[in-house]
Amino acid sequence: MDVRLLLISVLLGLSRAQLDGNECTKASAQSCGECIQVGEKCGWCTDENFLKQGEQKSTRCDEIEALIKKGCNMSSIENPRGTVTVSKNQSLTEHTNSTKDGAKLKPDQITQIQPQKLTLDLRSGEAQKFVLTFRRAEDYPIDLYYLMDLSYSMKDDLENVKNLGTKLMTEMQKITSDFRIGFGSFVEKTVMPYISTTPAKLLNPCTSDQNCTSPFSYKNVLSLTSDGSQFNTLVSKQQISGNLDSPEGGFDAIMQVAVCANQIGWRNVTRLLVFSTDAGFHFAGDGKLGGIVLPNDGKCHLQDNMYTMSHYYDYPSIAHLVQKLSENNIQTIFAVTKEFQPVYQELKNLIPKSAVGTLSSDSGNVINLIIDAYNSLSSEIILENSRLPEGVSISYISHCKNGVSQEGENGRKCSNIAIGDQVTFEVAVTAKGCPSNGKSETLKIKPLGFTEEVEIVLNFICECECHKEGIPNSPNCSDGNGTLECGACRCNEGRIGRVCECSKDEVRTEDLDANCRMDNGTDICSNNGDCVCGTCECKKRDNPEERYSGKFCECDNFNCDRSNNKLCGGHGRCECRKCICDANYTGSACDCSLDTSTCMASNKQICNGRGTCECGTCKCIDTKFQGQTCEICPTCPGVCTEHKDCVQCRAFGSGDKKDTCEKECTNFDLIMVKKKEELPPPNEQPYINHCKERDANDYWFFFTYATRNDNTVVVHVAEELEP
């Protein structure tokens, strides 16, 4: 930035960005479509006559107020705005028994989030906002699948779980009248070193006095059912198995439960998975111990309700489990013994909508554990969205119970939500730019652990309305070499330039203006000329003596520093905004004379030999010496004594010079004061001396002797004498 512009900006309070231009002008948009993608504040002037001599095409794109100030009528400004349209907005369900005939609603008839479908028209940089409302419906259906570790250490736990079905059914019916329960079990991969593969151990992995079933990876014992007694019957027939190492193969089982929706019998309702164990877990990479290297494929591999690919695929990773549990809206409850509580607490922190409960040594507290965990999970609402298209961002503000509002990551959440409570979320979606294909995208938002979701269709505003009204082969575009669109020319193939006046064969680049910008700046031809086929043609001035010059019209001969209101002080010439001084002159405005005659002292020495001559003025080096030629020394001995007689004769009419006073003592101005305290203080005037002298009557009189900047002398004398 020019130094003078920087100084002006300080005086006027302007920022550098204001001087350099805003984002609209900096973008150098070549069309209305490009302009509106720069930012929400940018508009495009479609008036063909808007551009004046010397202004460039990019100036059509500017902030709205700036365009109006430049003379563009508001009706000629393209400034499309985004919109929000709600296309599906079913009311929230208060109670699942709410049909006209009092019958229970089916799960897909229950609505807990509103609205359900929207369409957003997105203008680059402009946020489109809408509100989502969530309310937990009363008596909402629940599917619960109990997945149990059947390794030998869980033997006493199995006895308590055998009667779990009817007891849990009774308790859960206090929460919902539509409850189903299922059961599955797991042990470990059926290969070494996880189990013993000797024939005898494959039949009975436990000690000879214990009757255990053959080891297996995962078994779906009972698909989801509303018959609690059937749960008790089938679980009662289960037998404990065994394995060699402590971590179990539970992750294989969780993956199959999540992705085998048909076999498990999951409905589109609240889905709970209770994972019960007294051990840790194997995860991705551990399969290498058994020679299994293929990553888990995340697909269902149940045959006759048995997982058949445990020997073929590795254990899933935690991230893979998180993905599949989320995709299938499954909330996980880890019912684990106290010893492994810290391990599963860390796992819970990685899996959204999951909980951990401490299982007693014999699983006797499992029902209370499940009820407490369900209440904890269902009371927290967390919104998640599908993958965002490139250039699109989203933000949330939650408005929860008791007037609590949160932003950022916490803006997705509300806690302590009871049945019937209603909360809202403000959602803002913003696009930056336009997708390369310009096509619509679909975004989905859903509460974690729920099957309902909000579908949002994103349409991108990539072109202006005036784009549709273009005039092909317009004579205004260099005799038909382009389409007149939105007041500007969109050139035909092979033509470029503001009005398509140039052929690509004549220039090397399609961005002709780039050749006319200095140092990758934003100003074309420094705003002092026109860019014609990639070359700057500088403007003419009204004064023929004044002219612009340079490759980018960056130079002129009239914008140099001035002194005494004269260009270069009248002692030089202006070349490219810099003074070239005449002989014997220097300085940015040629206002510093190299002539030393004004510094010559009475002894014919420059500055009395006590200083240097700078721009015709003495700079005294010896601080005792002052004055125009460094000849005055106020602190040197004898100043007071030298002038005593003249001061005495003029002030009191006495002393040795009283008879010759008018002749010899007229070289100073005399000022009388009453008392010595009224004399000027030491620093009031330059070069001041304070004097105390004795007269012939042995009285002291007091005066000051001072030399002004113009070398005249003033003397202040106190009338009051002291004995």
Side-chain angles (χ1 to χ4, degrees), residues 440-645:
S440 298
E441 299 277 359
T442 299
L443 175 67
K444 293 186 178 181
I445 299 176
K446 69 175 183 179
L448 276 174
F450 295 84
T451 56
E452 297 174 68
E453 62 185 16
V454 180
E455 181 179 328
I456 305 166
V457 178
L458 306 179
N459 297 324
F460 300 91
I461 302 175
C462 300
E463 282 290 354
C464 301
E465 282 297 314
C466 58
H467 169 71
K468 304 172 184 176
E469 303 169 1
I471 304 173
N473 304 318
S474 169
N476 293 345
C477 299
S478 189
D479 298 325
N481 281 311
T483 299
L484 185 61
E485 180 184 294
C486 302
C489 288
R490 188 188 289 268
C491 299
N492 296 338
E493 184 65 31
R495 302 294 296 186
I496 44 180
R498 186 165 66 87
V499 290
C500 310
E501 71 274 21
C502 305
S503 169
K504 283 187 179 180
D505 297 334
E506 300 171 3
V507 291
R508 294 184 179 181
T509 174
E510 292 188 13
D511 186 6
L512 295 179
D513 289 349
N515 294 328
C516 297
R517 295 189 188 99
M518 185 168 65
D519 300 329
N520 293 322
T522 59
D523 294 334
I524 296 174
C525 297
S526 308
N527 285 331
N528 297 322
D530 300 318
C531 187
V532 180
C533 294
T535 302
C536 285
E537 292 187 1
C538 300
K539 296 177 186 177
K540 303 294 184 183
R541 299 276 296 177
D542 292 337
N543 184 346
E545 297 297 321
E546 297 179 354
R547 58 188 176 274
Y548 293 107
S549 60
K551 180 181 178 181
F552 302 101
C553 302
E554 75 278 15
C555 296
D556 63 59
N557 66 345
F558 54 87
N559 265 323
C560 289
D561 290 340
R562 293 174 178 266
S563 179
N564 295 324
N565 204 29
K566 293 181 180 180
L567 193 66
C568 297
H571 301 299
R573 65 186 186 279
C574 181
E575 292 186 6
C576 202
R577 302 186 177 184
K578 185 177 180 181
C579 286
I580 306 298
C581 299
D582 296 339
N584 287 330
Y585 285 92
T586 186
S588 63
C590 301
D591 53 355
C592 180
S593 173
L594 299 178
D595 182 12
T596 60
S597 60
T598 54
C599 296
M600 194 69 69
S602 57
N603 59 7
K604 305 302 180 182
Q605 288 186 314
I606 298 294
C607 299
N608 194 30
R610 308 280 184 180
T612 58
C613 187
E614 297 179 10
C615 299
T617 302
C618 282
K619 301 292 182 184
C620 301
I621 298 174
D622 190 333
T623 56
K624 292 191 300 181
F625 289 87
Q626 302 165 348
Q628 184 175 349
T629 55
C630 303
E631 293 183 86
I632 298 173
C633 183
T635 60
C636 293
V639 171
C640 294
T641 303
E642 178 183 350
H643 300 288
K644 165 189 171 184
D645 292 338

Side-chain angles (χ1 to χ4, degrees), residues 6-25:
L6 190 58
L7 291 173
I8 292 171
S9 73
V10 173
L11 293 173
L12 297 181
L14 300 175
S15 67
R16 181 171 187 131
Q18 287 174 303
L19 289 171
D20 287 345
N22 55 55
E23 64 173 350
C24 306
T25 56

Side-chain angles (χ1 to χ4, degrees), residues 340-403:
F340 287 94
Q341 180 88 8
V343 175
Y344 283 90
Q345 191 65 44
E346 290 295 325
L347 182 61
K348 168 198 170 293
N349 294 336
L350 300 173
I351 301 179
K353 293 292 280 187
S354 63
V356 177
T358 303
L359 196 65
S360 61
S361 59
D362 60 356
S363 296
N365 67 332
V366 69
I367 292 181
N368 290 335
L369 186 155
I370 292 172
I371 298 295
D372 291 344
Y374 168 73
N375 289 332
S376 173
L377 288 173
S378 60
S379 67
E380 183 177 48
I381 307 302
I382 304 175
L383 295 186
E384 73 164 359
N385 51 264
S386 59
R387 185 174 180 179
L388 295 171
E390 185 178 355
V392 175
S393 60
I394 190 169
S395 63
Y396 298 85
I397 301 177
S398 60
H399 300 287
C400 308
K401 290 176 63 176
N402 303 320

